[in-house]
Amino acid sequence: MCRKTRSLTLLLAVLLLFAIPDDPSASLPRKRILILFPYESNTPGFVKFDEGFGYMLRSSEEYEFEFYVEAMDLTRFPDERYHQRLMEFLHEKYAGISIDLIVAIQLPSFDLLLKHGPESFHNVPVILYSQDRRLLGDPKSIPGAAVVTGQLDIKGTLDLAIRLHPGVDKVFVISGASRFDRLLEGIAREEFRSFENQVRFQYLSGLPMRELTRYVSLLPEDSVVFYLSVLRDGNGKAFKSPEALTLISKHASVPIYSVSETYIDSGIVGGRLISHLAHGAMAGRVALRILAGEEPTDLELPEESTSRYIFHARELKRWGILEKNLPPGSDVRYRDYSVWETHRWQIVWVVSILIIQTLLISALVTSLRRQRRTERALKKSADEWQTTFDSTKDRIMLLDRDFQILRVNAAVASSLALPLDQILGRHCYSVVHGTNTPPGNCPCARTVKIKGHEEAIIYEGKWNAWLFVSIDPILNDGKEITGFVHTVKDVTDQKRAAEAIEASEAFNRAVLASLKNQVAILDREGTVLAVNESWRQSAEQELSPLLAGLSPGESYLEVCRQSVHAPAGLADQVLDGIHSVLDGNRETFSFEYSCDSPSGPRWFLMKVMPFKTPEGGVVISHTDISERKSAELEAQLRREELTHVTRIVTIGELATSLAHEINQPMTAILCNAEAAQRFLSRAAPDLDEVRRILDDIIHDDRRAGEVIRRIRTLVKKEIPRREAVVINDAVRETITLVRSACFLEGLSIVEELGSELPTLQCDHVQLQQVILNLLLNSTAAMRETPPALRRVVIRTALQDRRSILVSVRDSGTGIDKDAMDRLFEPFYTTKADGLGMGLSISRSIIKAHGGTIWAENNEGGGATFSFTLPLDSGEQP
Amino acid sequence: MKDEKSVVYVVDDDPSVLRSVERFLRSAGYQVRTFTSALDFLNFPHQDTPGCLVLDVKMPDLGGSNSRSIWPIERSPFPSFSSPATEPSP
């Protein structure tokens, strides 16, 4: 900044040397003029304007001038607070100085003055200068200023370019992203409308500089560039006025035309160029009138066109443009210094320009060196970027806002198999799809609508490929779309892989769906991952509270916990089972349960197995075992009936013995009663005797009743049930029933009953049935045994802590080997009149109680039948 | 009819029955002697007084109806009765 200020000082010094060397007068009134310039002070346009302005003022010999210049650099520092502070600073700076006139260059300077200008400036007359009235918008909105404008000859320049390049059919219009750039672009678009039947226009607006320079290097033949202005590029980088043009022209593959004289040595061929020098002179004339006392707002100021045909000799030569084809009066610069002699008016200024430029150059040497370094770094970075861009497999296209291709990477070029010049500048859809509009499945329409990223996966038959297409809009500061980044990735392989996975998943689903069992898969937390069709249907029919209608994501454990329909304890049992498998405490868990469904009672076998994946979990399957279960229940019923029948038969076998058991007390009662009658008929009856008789009668009657009760109990058909049974009582009762039935000469029944045996939980009648059966068998086995040796030992004992052992040992013939194997089979009997069901039924009874029954031969002859009954609960009989 | 000297011997292993039969005979004016087993009866030194025997043939120490052939009662001077008149169980 300091260096730039020095440059300006030097410039002013030079001007002074030119203007006031022979003016010794110090008595002229002194006028102080403040020039507000929005950009940097060394902007060429401004330098020239300043020259013209100063020249014009000094041509008047009425005043002595002091110039104050504020180059405010507003483009690079757009912050509102800076603007405010700046004006406060100027207020302080110029506090002791009486300013006579302010010249606001361009609208931003004027706006700033209007918005934040200090009070001390309020009554100072203002001249507003702009290159073109159209850049000011509505002139009525500019109060209290004399407006000096030139007129940009955009039409004239384009007309010239078309005449000089008869084959041209396309014009690339370059403009930047700053407010000024866009304003100018807007004016140009208006102007170009009348040319649309002659040439096609493509606007390269608001692009990042790197894109722009690369793009202009690839422009097709038969096109020209119309350069408007780039004060800021698409990346927000600010450029001094001709700086951007210099970068662009260095890369441009076609001639560049523009509208300002300041660009003439920055790489343009030429054009109808406005002269800032002339504009400065115009402003100077107006300044003199104001200083002479005219009101700024009263001034009638016609727009003056200062544009002239100006060309650069080197550029003409470069593009092969013959001077004879130039319009009459064209000014070809840098051709031949002698020519300048014929342009007397300009000579002075050209010389001064040269001097100024020399000074500027020397002042900027360091800066240029640095710039070169920066450029090298930029180029390196650009090269790296380019390499990256070209080496990615994804196909990337940069499009302008009309979907014309600005740029593509190597992947696009190779996939399209087209040379670059048949790709660039054309509409992407016409290049890729050969259509006049984007294809219906292209996400670009949505991108335009939402001004944001869009993507789609599209099948492209041309390549038999699935493409992932994404489109991102490039937005300028005003959030308008200036172009698109169009990226295509070939996702065919991924798509095919996904399809393969999909097919495999479909296969798995089909397997699951085909299972008749109801299957659910839970994760480690018991959340449902999947259920099969059978599960779903059963849930709909509400077959079981444990087959709830679950969709993936619900917690099965929670459903079980809250199941109100489940029989008491069922949910807890299931939860414990699932947890035990989930925690790895057991490999599998299965159990059967019954429940009521709308179609009647049902039985299910539920199995919980570990889900063998790294994530773990369980597989739950339900199998409807209602049919099997009802068959089992039916069989059990039959067995019970058979048990009953067998019991009846057994009791039938006992009939004579039982009759004896009842007859004995009956006989006693009868004898007692008759004896009592006789005793009572005596003269002195022995009443004590009679009383004893009556006691005996009562006792005998009770005894007979007890026998009858026991028989009835055995004969009665009752549903098996669990009750507390003292084993020794059951054994003794049974012995009294059989004692007379087992009448064998010399038979002794010996009780070896264990003491303090725990109470059993079992069916009393069935237990007696078993004991009865074993006793009858053992007596039957001793028919051939000598009477003195006939002996049955019935023993009860605690087998271990968990069961009770009952054994019946006889001294009979023993069991031969063949019989031993088939002893417990139904209908197997060794007795001539046996039914063959006794032991078979006994075994099923003991088994139902969770015990076992077996037979063995004794060492000293005879056999022992034993059974155990568990003390804790076995299965329900 | 009732001979003071005549004694009825009753053998039965069922004490209740034995007692009632003893009372029944005693109320009819007989002298009664009771035994709970056949061996007790046989070991009893009975005189040659007139009498009769009431015997329960289904006692463990007797062979039931078979016992008659092996029993010394065959040679006894008084008639014997079996009671009750039941068949032994098979």
Side-chain angles (χ1 to χ4, degrees):
Chain A
M1 199 60 188
C2 170
R3 196 174 290 120
K4 285 163 189 164
T5 317
R6 198 161 66 225
S7 317
L8 193 68
T9 318
L10 282 167
L11 157 71
L12 292 173
V14 171
L15 290 176
L16 284 170
L17 281 174
F18 272 77
I20 332 171
D22 56 352
D23 190 350
S25 170
S27 61
L28 293 177
R30 186 175 288 260
K31 293 294 179 189
R32 295 179 179 82
I33 296 178
L34 173 59
I35 300 172
L36 297 179
F37 185 63
Y39 310 127
E40 292 151 279
S41 58
N42 55 355
T43 309
F46 173 59
V47 172
K48 285 191 176 150
F49 177 88
D50 197 53
E51 272 177 55
F53 185 65
Y55 172 77
M56 184 52 70
L57 289 186
R58 285 183 201 96
S59 67
S60 149
E61 292 177 353
E62 291 169 48
Y63 310 101
E64 191 183 336
F65 289 100
E66 269 178 32
F67 293 101
Y68 301 94
V69 178
E70 297 295 338
M72 299 181 291
D73 210 358
L74 299 182
T75 313
R76 294 200 297 182
F77 299 93
D79 182 38
E80 190 71 23
R81 275 183 60 225
Y82 160 68
H83 297 167
Q84 200 170 343
R85 293 269 176 81
L86 182 64
M87 279 296 145
E88 286 167 12
F89 165 71
L90 292 185
H91 172 62
E92 276 179 39
K93 182 176 175 183
Y94 295 103
I97 299 166
S98 164
I99 300 292
D100 295 295
L101 180 68
I102 296 174
V103 181
I105 313 280
Q106 308 274 48
L107 198 55
S109 301
F110 184 73
D111 283 344
L112 190 61
L113 189 64
L114 216 57
K115 212 164 170 186
H116 300 299
E119 262 179 50
S120 48
F121 292 170
H122 279 187
N123 294 320
V124 180
V126 178
I127 292 173
L128 166 59
Y129 161 72
S130 175
Q131 296 106 307
D132 196 291
R133 185 165 287 270
R134 288 167 292 186
L135 291 168
L136 298 177
D138 182 7
K140 284 180 192 131
S141 67
I142 299 160
V147 180
V148 175
T149 62
Q151 201 172 36
L152 294 169
D153 197 352
I154 295 169
K155 258 186 194 163
T157 299
L158 182 62
D159 198 45
L160 170 74
I162 292 171
R163 271 191 283 136
L164 291 178
H165 303 275
V168 158
D169 67 343
K170 183 140 191 189
V171 177
F172 291 89
V173 184
I174 295 178
S175 62
S178 80
R179 183 165 161 269
F180 177 82
D181 298 335
R182 291 203 309 274
L183 261 173
L184 194 54
E185 186 198 336
I187 294 165
R189 279 181 182 262
E190 273 302 306
E191 299 269 280
F192 290 153
R193 199 151 290 164
S194 57
F195 290 88
E196 279 170 1
N197 52 359
Q198 295 182 54
V199 288
R200 290 182 295 137
F201 291 94
Q202 186 169 339
Y203 292 88
L204 310 178
S205 313
L207 292 180
M209 184 53 75
R210 279 184 303 189
E211 299 304 305
L212 199 52
T213 52
R214 167 130 176 104
Y215 192 79
V216 295
S217 69
L218 300 166
L219 296 182
E221 258 180 82
D222 297 331
S223 64
V224 293
V225 168
F226 199 110
Y227 179 83
L228 291 169
S229 157
V230 179
L231 291 182
R232 187 181 299 138
D233 76 354
N235 282 344
K237 179 173 160 52
F239 292 90
K240 281 187 293 185
S241 173
E243 203 174 74
L245 175 58
T246 311
L247 287 170
I248 291 163
S249 64
K250 217 188 282 176
H251 294 88
S253 58
V254 296
I256 304 176
Y257 287 83
S258 191
V259 288
S260 173
E261 189 188 357
T262 51
Y263 296 151
I264 193 64
D265 50 359
S266 298
I268 61 169
V269 175
R272 287 274 294 165
L273 309 182
I274 55 156
S275 163
H276 289 91
L277 198 74
H279 288 168
M282 272 162 58
R285 276 200 298 277
V286 173
L288 288 174
R289 285 170 70 183
I290 291 171
L291 291 174
E294 289 188 56
E295 273 297 312
T297 46
D298 292 347
L299 293 173
E300 293 279 329
L301 297 171
E303 285 175 49
E304 271 183 59
S305 172
T306 61
S307 300
R308 296 185 304 119
Y309 291 111
I310 303 174
F311 299 93
H312 195 296
R314 187 190 63 220
E315 296 292 317
L316 290 176
K317 203 171 164 192
R318 179 181 169 194
W319 303 110
I321 301 164
L322 298 174
E323 276 191 40
K324 68 177 169 72
N325 293 338
L326 301 180
S330 293
D331 176 2
V332 180
R333 303 267 175 91
Y334 306 100
R335 179 179 56 190
D336 182 355
Y337 287 5
S338 68
V339 176
W340 294 3
E341 301 295 333
T342 59
H343 297 276
R344 202 155 54 90
W345 189 83
Q346 288 181 333
I347 286 172
V348 173
W349 302 114
V350 168
V351 168
S352 70
I353 286 162
L354 280 174
I355 294 167
I356 290 159
Q357 282 180 335
T358 311
L359 290 170
L360 282 175
I361 287 164
S362 68
L364 289 173
V365 161
T366 328
S367 142
L368 280 171
R369 210 172 277 156
R370 186 182 301 145
Q371 192 179 336
R372 251 178 239 127
R373 216 163 37 232
T374 315
E375 275 173 13
R376 270 201 301 278
L378 274 174
K379 185 169 185 317
K380 185 163 177 275
S381 142
D383 286 350
E384 282 170 5
W385 189 83
Q386 181 65 37
T387 311
T388 311
F389 188 56
D390 277 337
S391 53
T392 175
K393 291 268 186 297
D394 296 351
R395 305 165 200 169
I396 305 173
M397 290 198 283
L398 296 174
L399 309 175
D400 72 5
R401 62 178 165 202
D402 300 319
F403 300 111
Q404 295 184 92
I405 301 170
L406 298 180
R407 197 168 163 194
V408 297
N409 70 349
V412 173
S414 74
S415 75
L416 291 172
L418 288 174
L420 270 186
D421 60 354
Q422 286 184 46
I423 297 172
L424 297 176
R426 294 176 61 196
H427 287 104
C428 58
Y429 40 83
S430 86
V431 174
V432 179
H433 306 286
T435 54
N436 292 327
T437 51
N441 51 8
C442 179
C444 62
R446 290 200 304 277
T447 301
V448 170
K449 203 166 165 190
I450 67 165
K451 291 191 178 179
H453 173 88
E454 271 298 337
E455 58 191 42
I457 291 177
I458 293 170
Y459 176 73
E460 178 54 65
K462 190 156 89 181
W463 296 305
N464 184 26
W466 284 93
L467 304 177
F468 177 80
V469 179
S470 72
I471 299 192
D472 293 272
I474 301 169
L475 302 174
N476 63 13
D477 292 348
K479 300 292 174 209
E480 294 159 330
I481 294 177
T482 59
F484 303 93
V485 180
H486 182 290
T487 311
V488 174
K489 188 181 181 70
D490 189 330
V491 292
T492 309
D493 290 346
Q494 291 93 317
K495 183 87 180 170
R496 300 260 190 274
E499 279 168 0
I501 289 169
E502 175 70 22
S504 147
E505 280 175 356
F507 180 79
N508 291 341
R509 273 199 302 276
V511 170
L512 209 54
S514 310
L515 290 174
K516 264 195 80 183
N517 292 7
Q518 294 83 349
V519 179
I521 298 162
L522 314 184
D523 70 7
R524 292 196 64 77
E525 276 67 49
T527 308
V528 174
L529 296 176
V531 299
N532 72 346
E533 188 53 31
S534 177
W535 184 293
R536 213 183 314 278
Q537 281 173 6
S538 304
E540 278 167 16
Q541 295 164 18
E542 296 180 348
L543 288 186
S544 157
L546 297 180
L547 275 166
L550 289 165
S551 43
E554 284 184 66
S555 167
Y556 182 71
L557 301 183
E558 202 54 42
V559 166
C560 286
R561 213 168 281 139
Q562 293 177 354
S563 175
V564 286
H565 304 297
L570 181 62
D572 286 340
Q573 217 177 330
V574 171
L575 282 175
D576 288 349
I578 294 175
H579 278 302
S580 67
V581 177
L582 273 176
D583 299 343
N585 293 337
R586 53 175 142 177
E587 177 63 10
T588 57
F589 162 75
S590 64
F591 84 118
E592 295 177 359
Y593 67 94
S594 65
C595 55
D596 288 326
S597 79
S599 55
R602 293 220 161 233
W603 278 89
F604 286 98
L605 169 64
M606 177 175 179
K607 278 193 178 172
V608 182
M609 296 149 281
F611 186 39
K612 297 202 168 156
T613 60
E615 293 78 22
V618 291
V619 177
I620 294 180
S621 82
H622 275 71
T623 311
D624 189 334
I625 53 165
S626 305
E627 275 182 29
R628 191 193 90 198
K629 208 68 195 179
S630 67
E632 275 179 15
L633 286 173
E634 184 70 15
Q636 190 183 332
L637 217 61
R638 292 276 161 274
R639 204 157 52 235
E640 275 165 22
E641 278 175 8
L642 191 58
T643 306
H644 181 242
V645 167
T646 313
R647 204 154 65 221
I648 304 281
V649 169
T650 310
I651 289 164
E653 288 173 14
L654 294 176
T656 50
S657 137
L658 291 173
H660 175 77
E661 282 298 316
I662 295 166
N663 270 341
Q664 290 283 88
M666 299 297 278
T667 305
I669 288 169
L670 188 62
C671 290
N672 273 323
E674 286 186 19
Q677 275 180 338
R678 287 197 192 127
F679 285 137
L680 285 175
S681 60
R682 285 181 185 176
D686 183 349
L687 289 180
D688 282 343
E689 176 80 65
V690 174
R691 209 168 282 125
R692 275 196 301 278
I693 289 172
L694 288 176
D695 283 346
D696 276 358
I697 288 174
I698 291 168
H699 174 262
D700 286 329
D701 184 79
R702 282 196 181 139
R703 185 178 150 201
E706 180 67 12
V707 173
I708 292 166
R709 184 189 66 76
R710 283 180 202 157
I711 295 166
R712 277 184 57 182
T713 311
L714 283 175
V715 173
K716 215 160 89 184
K717 184 180 177 184
E718 272 185 18
I719 298 165
R721 63 195 165 122
R722 292 276 163 122
E723 59 202 326
V725 174
V726 176
I727 182 69
N728 290 348
D729 291 351
V731 170
R732 282 190 203 102
E733 274 183 27
T734 314
I735 291 172
T736 52
L737 274 180
V738 297
R739 194 177 285 279
S740 45
C742 309
F743 179 79
L744 272 180
E745 189 183 341
L747 172 66
S748 62
I749 297 179
V750 181
E751 298 173 6
E752 287 183 6
L753 305 182
S755 59
E756 293 176 22
L757 295 178
T759 309
L760 280 168
Q761 289 293 321
C762 64
D763 187 272
H764 191 260
V765 173
Q766 290 192 346
L767 177 62
Q768 282 195 314
Q769 183 176 352
V770 174
I771 299 169
L772 185 63
N773 191 254
L774 296 183
L775 283 173
L776 290 179
N777 282 348
S778 55
T779 53
M782 292 188 292
R783 293 257 170 83
E784 309 302 321
T785 308
L789 299 177
R790 290 173 180 165
R791 180 182 153 93
V792 172
V793 180
I794 181 157
R795 194 170 155 258
T796 61
L798 202 58
Q799 162 88 341
D800 46 49
R801 280 164 181 272
R802 293 187 302 178
S803 57
I804 280 177
L805 172 78
V806 179
S807 62
V808 177
R809 179 189 177 96
D810 65 51
S811 51
T813 49
I815 308 157
D816 68 46
K817 197 170 171 291
D818 287 349
M820 185 68 95
D821 294 338
R822 304 182 56 199
L823 217 45
F824 294 98
E825 284 178 17
F827 304 111
Y828 179 79
T829 181
T830 53
K831 296 182 233 171
D833 52 353
L835 196 58
M837 289 308 293
L839 283 175
S840 164
I841 295 291
S842 294
R843 184 174 64 169
S844 72
I845 290 171
I846 295 300
K847 210 172 151 192
H849 282 81
T852 49
I853 184 167
W854 70 95
E856 57 206 330
N857 282 320
N858 305 324
E859 277 184 16
T864 302
F865 282 77
S866 310
F867 64 88
T868 59
L869 287 174
L871 289 169
D872 55 357
S873 60
E875 278 185 48
Q876 198 76 23
Chain B
M1 164 123 187
K2 299 203 175 64
D3 188 340
E4 286 299 313
K5 285 175 188 169
S6 55
V7 176
V8 179
Y9 301 90
V10 181
V11 184
D12 202 312
D13 66 334
D14 189 325
S16 177
V17 173
L18 190 63
R19 205 159 55 242
S20 68
V21 171
E22 185 267 335
R23 283 192 189 115
F24 176 75
L25 292 173
R26 185 153 49 82
S27 71
Y30 294 100
Q31 282 195 51
V32 185
R33 292 221 63 114
T34 59
F35 304 90
T36 55
S37 78
L39 283 176
D40 288 350
F41 168 71
L42 287 177
N43 293 334
F44 183 77
H46 41 282
Q47 300 123 15
D48 288 338
T49 52
C52 77
L53 171 68
V54 178
L55 174 68
D56 176 7
V57 294
K58 277 190 69 186
M59 288 184 301
D61 59 346
L62 287 179
S65 53
N66 297 336
S67 62
R68 220 177 277 239
S69 59
I70 58 160
W71 216 40
I73 291 173
E74 283 293 309
R75 290 172 281 119
S76 142
F78 42 76
S80 67
F81 301 92
S82 287
S83 170
T86 52
E87 288 298 311
S89 79

